[in-house]
Amino acid sequence: MANPVSIINPSYCSPHPITLQINTEKGATYNENDDRLFYTDDTFFTLHNRRVLYDDAENPIVTLYNKMVSLHGRCKVFRGESTDSSELLFLVKKIAKSPGITKLNVFLANNQGKKNKKSDFRVIIFGSKRSCTVYAGESPNIVAKIQNNGGFNVVVDPNVDYAFIVVLLMIVNDMDCSDEPMNSMNNTASAMRMITSLSSLGSGE
């Protein structure tokens, strides 16, 4: 993007594209030189539904607070180790967009409480997290692309806060995203075609 998009810290905005590899089993993020940039205190949310992201110098970057609300996942992200509302950075809401596709809407702290608010970013997840794309708002402008190769291989656009992208992918990694709805629909369609064929054969006797 032309103008820097800083959500967590402007120091995480590079004038060049950034390639990252997230080891989802270890909860660690590495750059293309295999240097560790971030890590989490746990690879899953704790019993208190909290998780902290640290930089490699052990400084707390953000705290994630996860809350499941009926069928829709919701996660709040705060600066540092705080969960005080004054330190809220953004809120992520999960939406089942269509079979095989999951959407996350991201609302920045200054967008909270507004009427008819629109998302500041959105994440489109395909299938069982085999790939996903991060967009600016509801626009077609892509800010990051991700492929799942046993971990997340990430390409972040220039001037985009790559720590912010890492946090979004931590949330994606914890979500239940599956191809099953699409497979179920295909199975149902196949069954209907078979029933129709059998009915046609029966009527011709």
Side-chain angles (χ1 to χ4, degrees):
M1 299 187 71
N3 298 317
V5 178
S6 173
I7 309 301
I8 296 175
N9 194 302
S11 65
Y12 298 129
C13 295
S14 168
H16 309 289
I18 294 290
T19 300
L20 304 172
Q21 182 70 35
I22 301 177
N23 186 317
T24 52
E25 291 186 358
K26 295 182 178 180
T29 302
Y30 303 87
N31 64 16
E32 55 190 0
N33 297 320
D34 208 30
D35 301 318
R36 191 177 71 168
L37 302 177
F38 308 105
Y39 70 96
T40 59
D41 53 352
D42 198 340
T43 53
F44 297 99
F45 282 103
T46 66
L47 292 176
H48 299 290
N49 294 325
R50 293 181 184 179
R51 192 141 56 102
V52 179
L53 178 72
Y54 299 87
D55 65 15
D56 199 46
E58 301 184 1
N59 298 308
I61 305 300
V62 297
T63 295
L64 291 79
Y65 179 70
N66 186 49
K67 185 176 182 181
M68 298 305 297
V69 182
S70 64
L71 297 177
H72 298 283
R74 180 176 298 187
C75 186
K76 291 183 177 181
V77 179
F78 301 85
R79 189 179 304 280
E81 291 183 293
S82 174
T83 55
D84 188 272
S85 59
S86 64
E87 297 295 336
L88 178 69
L89 290 171
F90 57 92
L91 168 70
V92 179
K93 292 182 180 180
K94 175 184 175 184
I95 298 174
K97 185 175 176 63
S98 62
I101 298 177
T102 304
K103 177 184 178 183
L104 305 184
N105 283 330
V106 182
F107 303 94
L108 300 181
N110 59 12
N111 194 13
Q112 304 301 310
K114 293 183 179 180
K115 292 183 178 180
N116 302 319
K117 64 182 179 182
K118 296 182 179 180
S119 63
D120 297 288
F121 295 88
R122 72 188 196 281
V123 184
I124 304 298
I125 308 164
F126 297 94
S128 187
K129 306 174 192 175
R130 63 181 180 272
S131 67
C132 57
T133 306
V134 183
Y135 296 87
E138 297 298 323
S139 77
N141 298 328
I142 296 173
V143 297
K145 291 183 178 181
I146 301 92
Q147 292 292 327
N148 191 342
N149 56 359
F152 291 130
N153 185 39
V154 189
V155 178
V156 184
D157 275 16
N159 297 318
V160 175
D161 190 327
Y162 59 85
F164 167 63
I165 301 299
V166 169
V167 174
L168 290 181
L169 293 177
M170 289 170 59
I171 296 170
V172 169
N173 188 53
D174 285 320
M175 288 193 164
D176 181 17
C177 303
S178 174
D179 282 320
E180 289 182 2
M182 180 65 77
N183 292 338
S184 298
M185 285 189 68
N186 290 339
N187 292 339
T188 301
S190 297
M192 290 300 295
R193 285 194 295 270
M194 184 178 293
I195 291 171
T196 302
S197 298
L198 290 174
S199 297
S200 298
L201 289 173
S203 62
E205 292 179 354

